[in-house]
Amino acid sequence: HKLYQTTATVGDSTLSRLIQLVEEAQANTSETEKLVDAFARKYTPVVLTMSLFICTVPWFFGAETGRYWMLNGLIIMVVACPCALTISTPVTYSAGLAAAAQRGIIIKGGSKLEALGNVETVLFDKTGTITTGRFALSHLDLIGNLKSRKELLELLAIIEAPSSHPLSACLVSAAREEGVVVPPGVALREHTILKGEGVSAYVDDEKVYVGNDRLFNRLDMYNISLQQIELAEKW
């Protein structure tokens, strides 16, 4: 015989917590639902009373008249019944909340769902919300023919490896993903962080700068075409 010990109940599962959140959200009624409920509480008794009156009173004027008006009374009761009005609103909200929950979005009630219909602008904390929170090299444009793409990535990997900046790790990772291996014996010296601009260092005997447009404007090395400048500013 085998003994099994459980460490949590079914109510502690992620699915159960998700169901609980959706149920709590459904219980949080919106202003529209409150308005419909308040209307139905007054409207329903009036419709039922009127239908009951039409179905019963005409019988005092004869069977033929009674049958005719009873049919009309039942028709009025069915047509004027507020069931569609009172049911459609909560069902719509429940369907919306459930559909959002299936996509990993928890909306705290019909009132919040209704408020989304009036939203014109949405602001996101994009890092970690609509992005992975990790930088990546998406485009590398070579200017001139002094260095090949492989040689440029080698220099970037060498000069950025000692830095702790997130963009440095991104460039080193991009070089690694393209199969670039830093040759052994490369001498890196005078590695300097240029605050707000980038980094500089000597790779063997070659002075290398890596940074933004402020750095290269200060060094008077931003002598590239207008099209390339516009492209760099767009990035």
Side-chain angles (χ1 to χ4, degrees):
H1 298 285
K2 292 183 179 180
L3 296 177
Y4 296 93
Q5 180 181 4
T6 59
T7 58
T9 64
V10 67
D12 295 327
S13 67
T14 302
L15 180 60
S16 296
R17 288 196 295 270
L18 182 61
I19 293 173
Q20 182 182 359
L21 286 172
V22 173
E23 288 176 345
E24 290 174 357
Q26 290 173 346
N28 184 11
T29 57
S30 67
E31 291 301 318
T32 303
E33 288 180 284
K34 292 176 182 177
L35 177 64
V36 170
D37 289 341
F39 173 76
R41 277 195 296 271
K42 296 178 180 179
Y43 175 78
T44 303
V46 172
V47 170
L48 291 176
T49 302
M50 184 174 63
S51 298
L52 182 63
F53 179 83
I54 293 173
C55 289
T56 56
V57 174
W59 285 97
F60 292 103
F61 299 96
E64 182 93 19
T65 304
R67 281 193 296 269
Y68 175 79
W69 284 105
M70 186 170 186
L71 176 62
N72 284 281
L74 293 174
I75 291 173
I76 291 174
M77 185 184 298
V78 172
V79 173
C81 182
C83 293
L85 180 64
T86 55
I87 292 175
S88 62
T89 306
V91 166
T92 301
Y93 286 135
S94 297
L97 295 171
Q102 288 176 346
R103 290 164 174 79
I105 304 170
I106 300 298
I107 301 175
K108 295 292 186 69
S111 57
K112 309 300 187 297
L113 184 63
E114 183 177 335
L116 287 175
N118 300 319
V119 171
E120 296 181 356
T121 304
V122 179
L123 301 179
F124 285 104
D125 175 15
K126 66 179 180 61
T127 304
T129 303
I130 57 177
T131 67
T132 60
R134 294 188 298 272
F135 293 104
L137 179 64
S138 61
H139 184 77
L140 179 61
D141 192 9
L142 298 180
I143 299 173
N145 53 7
L146 296 177
K147 299 285 183 184
S148 66
R149 182 184 181 91
K150 182 175 180 294
E151 290 172 332
L152 181 60
L153 286 171
E154 282 180 2
L155 282 175
L156 286 173
I158 293 168
I159 199 171
E160 294 289 358
S163 178
S164 59
H165 195 281
L167 288 178
S168 300
C170 159
L171 294 172
V172 174
S173 177
R176 189 184 307 113
E177 288 175 1
E178 293 200 19
V180 174
V181 179
V182 177
V186 175
L188 178 70
R189 56 191 178 87
E190 296 184 26
H191 187 275
T192 306
I193 304 294
L194 306 174
K195 192 180 242 184
E197 294 180 335
V199 294
S200 67
Y202 280 95
V203 180
D204 290 334
D205 293 325
E206 183 180 12
K207 185 68 176 285
V208 179
Y209 294 93
V210 178
N212 54 28
D213 56 344
R214 290 196 300 273
L215 171 62
F216 293 103
N217 274 318
R218 180 173 65 80
L219 297 173
D220 196 23
M221 297 173 62
Y222 210 45
N223 52 348
I224 56 178
S225 69
L226 182 61
Q227 182 181 2
Q228 290 167 333
I229 291 175
E230 290 176 351
L231 184 61
E233 289 176 350
K234 181 181 178 182
W235 292 343

